Amino acid sequence: MEISNPVLPLQGSADKSIPALGFGTATFPFVSIETTKEAILHAIELGYKHFDSATIYQTEQPLGQAISEAISLGFIKSREELFITSKLWCCDAHHDLVLPSIQNSIKNLNLEYIDLYLIHWPMALKPGMYSGFDKEQDFLPMDFKSVWEAMEEYQKLGLVKSIGVSNFSCKKLQTLLATAKILPAVNQVEMNPIWQQKKLREFCKEKGIIVAAYSPLGAKGSFWGTNRVMENEVIKEIADAKGKTIAQVCLRWLFEQGVSFIVKSFNKERMKENLGIFDWKLSPDELKKIDQIPQQRGYLALEFTGNGAPFKTPQELWDDEIEKIFKI
């Protein structure tokens, strides 16, 4: 049975859209290629259409393998049924390195094109620094204009269907938009009921940029994650009253905010549960209760700030979208 997964229109073309619900492939610590491939293959069988990857996740190769197997097994008829996202890592965030990075991702995925390609962070590293970087020596300011020009060029050539950014604040988006000829289709950022990104969402809405939420459940278990989403009493009460899981309430809330969202679980039962959010609604009273939850950013990205880094403090990295970070 085909499971519903509504889509959101992407700017730039009437026939471009992004599935509301995406399947995350990032695992920290890393797991085996086979484990990742099998999880993705099962997700395709269940009905997931959007798969979120990145150079730094090291999941492009197993994602490509899973797509090939899914076609062979008859889970999907062709690659065109899926929406694939990947991302430009910081050490490739230089004008002349964008094309090699895209080509490498396409090769890893064994595809002819990528549906959505994002600048992963608003900063650059020295070329080749995929791991083990020293934040006091290896970071560089990003030339937004030249990097985005390269992204635009390779969208026009059809290597990527849409381009966007990740972890960009309103201020950094404004800098990019000042010279962009093609507007970002998506800004992928942390968003969940305890970090609702109201200001950023409003800014993106005005510009026609889709917000895609990562860590929609708080990324519990990861090095940047928090238990505060899954243990929130307001969400627990709503879930109990509706006979839903806490995760389902969080994902349904995101859907009702008009954003796309990336949820990662390799647990087969939770993978199925996370799809069951499109045939029911939250009441106005429930939405109001969630709206009033005290806000606290989960991921400060401290590894990207400090002496020698482009941003000395988290406040500089996240700009005016960090003001509620210490509010408990």
Coordinates of all heavy atoms in Angstrom, one line a residue, residues 5-8 10 17-25 40 43-44 47-53 63 67 79 81-87 114-118 186 188 210-213 259-264 275:
N5 N 2.8 10.8 1.5 CA 4.0 11.7 1.9 C 3.8 12.9 1.1 O 4.3 13.0 0.0 CB 5.3 11.0 1.6 CG 6.5 11.8 2.3 OD1 6.3 12.9 2.7 ND2 7.6 11.2 2.3
P6 N 3.1 13.9 1.6 CA 2.8 15.1 0.8 C 4.1 15.9 0.4 O 5.2 15.6 1.1 CB 2.0 16.0 1.8 CG 1.4 15.0 2.8 CD 2.4 13.9 2.9
V7 N 4.0 16.7 -0.6 CA 5.2 17.4 -1.0 C 5.0 18.9 -0.9 O 3.8 19.4 -0.8 CB 5.5 17.1 -2.5 CG1 5.8 15.6 -2.7 CG2 4.3 17.5 -3.4
L8 N 6.1 19.7 -0.8 CA 6.0 21.1 -0.7 C 6.7 21.7 -2.0 O 7.8 21.2 -2.4 CB 6.8 21.6 0.5 CG 6.4 21.0 1.8 CD1 7.3 21.5 3.0 CD2 5.0 21.5 2.2
L10 N 8.9 23.8 -4.5 CA 10.2 24.5 -4.5 C 10.2 25.6 -5.5 O 9.7 25.5 -6.6 CB 11.4 23.6 -4.8 CG 11.7 22.5 -3.7 CD1 12.7 21.5 -4.3 CD2 12.1 23.0 -2.4
S17 N 9.3 19.9 -6.4 CA 8.8 19.8 -5.1 C 9.6 18.9 -4.2 O 10.4 18.1 -4.7 CB 7.3 19.3 -5.1 OG 7.3 18.0 -5.7
I18 N 9.5 19.1 -2.9 CA 10.3 18.3 -1.9 C 9.3 17.5 -1.0 O 8.4 18.2 -0.5 CB 11.3 19.2 -1.1 CG1 12.1 18.3 -0.1 CG2 10.5 20.3 -0.4 CD1 13.2 19.2 0.5
P19 N 9.5 16.2 -0.8 CA 8.6 15.5 0.1 C 8.7 16.2 1.5 O 9.8 16.5 2.0 CB 9.2 14.1 0.1 CG 9.8 14.0 -1.2 CD 10.4 15.3 -1.5
A20 N 7.5 16.2 2.2 CA 7.5 16.8 3.5 C 8.4 16.0 4.5 O 9.1 16.6 5.3 CB 6.1 16.9 4.0
L21 N 8.3 14.7 4.4 CA 9.0 13.8 5.3 C 10.2 13.2 4.6 O 10.1 12.6 3.5 CB 8.1 12.7 5.8 CG 8.8 11.6 6.6 CD1 9.4 12.1 7.9 CD2 7.7 10.5 7.0
G22 N 11.4 13.4 5.2 CA 12.6 12.9 4.6 C 13.3 11.9 5.6 O 13.0 11.9 6.8
F23 N 14.1 11.0 5.1 CA 14.8 10.0 5.9 C 16.3 10.4 6.0 O 17.0 10.5 5.0 CB 14.7 8.6 5.2 CG 15.2 7.5 6.0 CD1 14.4 6.9 7.0 CD2 16.5 7.0 5.8 CE1 14.9 5.8 7.7 CE2 17.0 5.9 6.5 CZ 16.2 5.3 7.5
G24 N 16.7 10.6 7.2 CA 18.1 10.9 7.5 C 19.0 9.8 7.5 O 18.7 8.7 7.9
T25 N 20.3 10.0 7.0 CA 21.2 8.9 6.9 C 22.5 9.1 7.7 O 23.3 8.2 7.8 CB 21.7 8.7 5.4 OG1 22.4 9.9 5.0 CG2 20.5 8.5 4.5
I40 N 18.2 2.0 4.6 CA 17.7 2.8 3.5 C 16.8 2.0 2.6 O 15.7 2.4 2.2 CB 18.8 3.5 2.7 CG1 19.6 4.5 3.6 CG2 18.3 4.2 1.4 CD1 20.9 5.0 2.9
A43 N 13.6 1.6 4.2 CA 12.8 2.8 4.2 C 12.1 3.0 2.8 O 11.0 3.5 2.7 CB 13.8 4.0 4.5
I44 N 12.9 2.7 1.7 CA 12.3 2.8 0.4 C 11.1 1.8 0.3 O 10.0 2.2 -0.2 CB 13.3 2.5 -0.7 CG1 14.4 3.5 -0.7 CG2 12.6 2.4 -2.1 CD1 15.6 3.2 -1.6
G47 N 8.0 3.3 1.9 CA 7.4 4.4 1.2 C 8.1 5.7 1.4 O 7.6 6.7 0.9
Y48 N 9.2 5.8 2.0 CA 10.0 7.0 2.1 C 10.5 7.4 0.7 O 10.9 6.5 -0.1 CB 11.2 6.9 3.0 CG 10.9 6.9 4.5 CD1 10.6 5.7 5.2 CD2 11.0 8.0 5.3 CE1 10.3 5.7 6.5 CE2 10.7 8.0 6.6 CZ 10.4 6.9 7.2 OH 10.1 6.9 8.6
K49 N 10.4 8.7 0.4 CA 10.8 9.2 -0.9 C 12.0 10.1 -0.9 O 12.7 10.2 -1.9 CB 9.6 9.9 -1.6 CG 8.4 9.1 -1.8 CD 8.6 7.9 -2.7 CE 7.3 7.1 -3.0 NZ 7.6 5.9 -3.8
H50 N 12.2 10.8 0.2 CA 13.3 11.8 0.3 C 14.4 11.2 1.2 O 14.1 10.8 2.3 CB 12.8 13.1 0.9 CG 13.8 14.1 1.1 ND1 13.6 15.3 1.9 CD2 15.1 14.3 0.7 CE1 14.7 16.0 1.9 NE2 15.6 15.4 1.2
F51 N 15.6 11.2 0.7 CA 16.8 10.7 1.5 C 17.8 11.8 1.6 O 18.3 12.4 0.5 CB 17.3 9.5 0.8 CG 16.4 8.3 1.0 CD1 15.4 8.1 0.0 CD2 16.4 7.5 2.1 CE1 14.4 7.1 0.1 CE2 15.5 6.5 2.2 CZ 14.5 6.3 1.3
D52 N 18.2 12.1 2.8 CA 19.2 13.2 3.1 C 20.5 12.7 3.4 O 20.7 11.9 4.3 CB 18.6 14.0 4.3 CG 19.5 15.2 4.6 OD1 19.4 16.2 3.9 OD2 20.3 15.1 5.6
S53 N 21.5 13.1 2.6 CA 22.9 12.6 2.7 C 23.8 13.8 2.7 O 23.4 15.0 2.6 CB 23.2 11.6 1.6 OG 24.5 11.1 1.8
L63 N 23.7 4.8 0.1 CA 22.4 5.3 -0.5 C 22.3 4.9 -1.9 O 21.2 4.4 -2.4 CB 22.3 6.8 -0.3 CG 21.1 7.5 -0.9 CD1 19.8 6.9 -0.4 CD2 21.1 9.0 -0.5
I67 N 19.4 2.4 -3.6 CA 18.5 2.8 -4.7 C 18.5 1.8 -5.8 O 17.5 1.3 -6.4 CB 18.9 4.2 -5.2 CG1 18.6 5.3 -4.2 CG2 18.1 4.5 -6.5 CD1 19.2 6.6 -4.5
R79 N 14.6 5.7 -10.4 CA 15.2 6.7 -9.5 C 14.4 8.0 -9.4 O 14.4 8.7 -8.4 CB 16.6 7.0 -10.0 CG 17.4 8.2 -9.3 CD 17.3 9.5 -10.1 NE 18.0 10.5 -9.4 CZ 17.6 11.3 -8.5 NH1 16.3 11.1 -8.0 NH2 18.3 12.2 -7.9
E81 N 11.4 8.4 -8.8 CA 10.5 8.4 -7.8 C 11.0 8.9 -6.4 O 10.2 9.2 -5.5 CB 9.9 7.0 -7.6 CG 9.2 6.4 -8.7 CD 8.7 5.0 -8.5 OE1 8.3 4.7 -7.3 OE2 8.7 4.2 -9.4
L82 N 12.3 9.1 -6.4 CA 13.0 9.5 -5.1 C 13.5 11.0 -5.2 O 13.7 11.5 -6.3 CB 14.1 8.6 -4.8 CG 13.8 7.1 -4.7 CD1 15.0 6.3 -4.3 CD2 12.7 6.9 -3.6
F83 N 13.7 11.6 -4.1 CA 14.3 12.9 -4.0 C 15.5 12.8 -3.1 O 15.5 12.4 -2.0 CB 13.3 13.9 -3.3 CG 13.7 15.3 -3.3 CD1 13.2 16.2 -4.3 CD2 14.5 15.8 -2.3 CE1 13.6 17.5 -4.2 CE2 14.9 17.1 -2.3 CZ 14.4 18.0 -3.2
I84 N 16.7 13.1 -3.7 CA 18.0 12.9 -3.1 C 18.6 14.2 -2.8 O 18.8 15.1 -3.6 CB 18.9 12.0 -3.9 CG1 18.2 10.7 -4.3 CG2 20.2 11.8 -3.2 CD1 17.8 9.9 -3.2
T85 N 19.0 14.4 -1.5 CA 19.7 15.6 -1.1 C 21.1 15.2 -0.7 O 21.4 14.2 0.0 CB 19.0 16.2 0.2 OG1 17.7 16.7 -0.2 CG2 19.8 17.4 0.7
S86 N 22.1 16.0 -1.1 CA 23.5 15.9 -0.5 C 24.0 17.3 -0.3 O 23.3 18.3 -0.6 CB 24.4 15.1 -1.4 OG 25.5 14.7 -0.7
K87 N 25.2 17.4 0.3 CA 25.7 18.7 0.8 C 27.2 18.8 0.5 O 28.0 17.9 0.5 CB 25.4 18.8 2.3 CG 24.0 18.6 2.7 CD 23.8 18.7 4.2 CE 22.4 18.2 4.6 NZ 22.3 16.7 4.6
I114 N 21.6 15.1 -8.8 CA 21.1 15.2 -7.4 C 19.9 16.2 -7.4 O 20.0 17.2 -8.0 CB 22.3 15.7 -6.5 CG1 23.4 14.7 -6.5 CG2 21.8 15.9 -5.0 CD1 24.7 15.2 -5.8
D115 N 18.9 15.8 -6.6 CA 17.7 16.7 -6.6 C 18.0 18.0 -5.9 O 17.5 19.0 -6.3 CB 16.5 15.9 -5.9 CG 16.1 14.7 -6.8 OD1 15.3 14.9 -7.7 OD2 16.5 13.6 -6.4
L116 N 18.7 17.9 -4.8 CA 18.9 19.1 -4.0 C 20.3 19.1 -3.4 O 20.7 18.1 -2.8 CB 17.9 19.2 -2.8 CG 18.1 20.3 -1.8 CD1 17.9 21.7 -2.5 CD2 17.1 20.2 -0.6
Y117 N 21.1 20.1 -3.6 CA 22.5 20.2 -3.2 C 22.6 21.5 -2.3 O 22.3 22.6 -2.8 CB 23.4 20.3 -4.4 CG 24.9 19.9 -4.0 CD1 25.2 18.6 -3.6 CD2 25.9 20.9 -4.1 CE1 26.5 18.3 -3.3 CE2 27.2 20.5 -3.8 CZ 27.5 19.3 -3.4 OH 28.8 18.9 -3.1
L118 N 23.1 21.3 -1.1 CA 23.1 22.3 -0.1 C 24.6 22.7 0.3 O 25.4 21.8 0.4 CB 22.4 21.9 1.2 CG 21.0 21.4 1.0 CD1 20.4 21.0 2.4 CD2 20.1 22.5 0.4
V186 N 16.0 25.9 -0.4 CA 15.9 25.3 0.9 C 16.9 25.8 1.9 O 18.1 26.1 1.4 CB 16.0 23.8 0.8 CG1 16.1 23.1 2.2 CG2 14.8 23.2 0.1
Q188 N 18.2 24.2 5.4 CA 18.1 23.1 6.3 C 18.7 23.5 7.7 O 19.9 23.8 7.7 CB 18.7 21.8 5.8 CG 18.4 20.6 6.6 CD 19.1 19.3 6.1 OE1 19.9 18.8 6.8 NE2 18.7 18.9 4.9
I210 N 12.0 27.2 1.4 CA 11.5 26.2 2.2 C 12.5 25.9 3.4 O 13.7 25.8 3.2 CB 11.3 24.8 1.4 CG1 10.2 25.0 0.4 CG2 11.0 23.7 2.4 CD1 8.8 25.1 1.0
V211 N 12.0 25.8 4.6 CA 12.8 25.4 5.7 C 12.7 23.9 5.8 O 11.6 23.3 5.8 CB 12.3 26.1 7.0 CG1 12.9 25.4 8.2 CG2 12.6 27.6 7.0
A212 N 13.8 23.2 5.9 CA 13.9 21.8 6.2 C 14.5 21.6 7.6 O 15.5 22.2 7.9 CB 14.7 21.1 5.1
A213 N 13.8 20.8 8.4 CA 14.2 20.7 9.8 C 15.0 19.4 10.0 O 14.6 18.3 9.6 CB 13.0 20.6 10.7
V259 N 6.8 23.0 6.9 CA 8.2 22.8 6.7 C 8.4 21.3 6.2 O 7.6 20.5 6.5 CB 9.1 23.1 7.9 CG1 8.9 24.5 8.3 CG2 8.9 22.1 9.0
S260 N 9.6 21.1 5.6 CA 10.0 19.7 5.4 C 10.9 19.3 6.6 O 11.4 20.2 7.3 CB 10.9 19.7 4.1 OG 11.4 18.4 3.8
F261 N 11.0 18.0 6.8 CA 11.7 17.6 8.0 C 12.4 16.2 7.7 O 11.9 15.4 7.0 CB 10.8 17.5 9.2 CG 9.5 16.9 9.0 CD1 9.2 15.6 9.2 CD2 8.4 17.7 8.5 CE1 7.9 15.1 9.0 CE2 7.2 17.2 8.2 CZ 6.9 15.8 8.5
I262 N 13.6 16.1 8.3 CA 14.4 14.9 8.2 C 14.5 14.2 9.5 O 15.0 14.7 10.5 CB 15.9 15.3 7.8 CG1 15.9 16.3 6.6 CG2 16.7 14.1 7.5 CD1 15.3 15.8 5.3
V263 N 13.9 12.9 9.5 CA 13.9 12.1 10.7 C 14.8 10.9 10.4 O 14.7 10.3 9.4 CB 12.5 11.7 11.1 CG1 11.8 10.9 10.1 CG2 12.5 11.0 12.5
K264 N 15.7 10.6 11.4 CA 16.6 9.5 11.3 C 16.3 8.4 12.3 O 16.4 8.7 13.5 CB 18.0 9.9 11.3 CG 19.1 8.8 11.1 CD 19.6 8.3 12.4 CE 20.2 6.9 12.3 NZ 20.6 6.4 13.6
L275 N 6.1 7.4 9.6 CA 5.2 7.7 8.4 C 3.8 8.0 8.8 O 3.0 8.5 7.9 CB 5.4 6.5 7.5 CG 6.7 6.4 6.7 CD1 6.7 5.1 6.0 CD2 6.8 7.5 5.6

